[in-house]
Amino acid sequence: MLKRHPLTVDQPIKNDTSNTSFNAMLVDVETEIQVEDILRSDNIEDYITNPVLYEAIQSLTEKQKEVISLAYVKGLTDTEISKVLNKSQQAVSKIHKAALKSICKFIEKKED
């Protein structure tokens, strides 16, 4: 699993005795969406901002979405995913490849 590294916005502002970060200044306390909630999400759809890619992900089967989410949200390899899903590495690899192919076809179709 990938760990989040501190970003520049997480660093305290120089010459500020209160140790306020840029991130603290940017946070909108009235927003309904909390960054922490998104970062904890296991669902790849919560991370997609491109509408066409979002539609492409939505067109996948549940199993394909699960493999794609584990690969790109959790950062797992096909071997690690196979252990999580109790499937062979070859089966996971096939699902992963089919999902990527489906996404590419969907995007190409939308561009025409």
Side-chain angles (χ1 to χ4, degrees):
M1 186 182 307
L2 298 175
K3 292 184 180 179
R4 183 177 177 271
H5 297 285
L7 303 173
T8 303
V9 294
D10 295 321
Q11 304 300 316
I13 299 172
K14 292 186 178 175
N15 302 325
D16 181 24
T17 56
S18 66
N19 284 335
T20 304
S21 69
F22 284 112
N23 189 27
M25 293 175 64
L26 296 172
V27 172
D28 180 1
V29 294
E30 295 180 20
T31 187
E32 293 179 24
I33 300 171
Q34 299 299 318
V35 173
E36 293 79 16
D37 293 338
I38 294 172
L39 292 175
R40 281 182 264 176
S41 176
D42 292 337
N43 186 349
I44 194 162
E45 294 165 312
D46 293 335
Y47 296 89
I48 305 297
T49 57
N50 180 293
V52 175
L53 181 56
Y54 185 83
E55 278 186 72
I57 296 289
Q58 293 242 306
S59 74
L60 299 176
T61 66
E62 288 304 313
K63 191 55 70 180
Q64 288 174 330
K65 286 182 200 177
E66 186 174 26
V67 169
I68 293 294
S69 291
L70 289 169
Y72 299 103
V73 175
K74 295 293 187 181
L76 301 180
T77 65
D78 285 352
T79 302
E80 293 168 327
I81 294 169
S82 71
K83 291 176 184 172
V84 170
L85 299 179
N86 198 25
K87 292 190 173 285
S88 71
Q89 182 273 328
Q90 292 83 0
V92 169
S93 182
K94 185 176 177 181
I95 293 167
H96 192 164
K97 185 176 180 180
L100 294 177
K101 189 174 183 179
S102 178
I103 291 168
C104 287
K105 280 186 178 181
F106 186 94
I107 292 171
E108 287 171 357
K109 191 173 159 184
K110 279 289 191 177
E111 290 177 347
D112 289 340

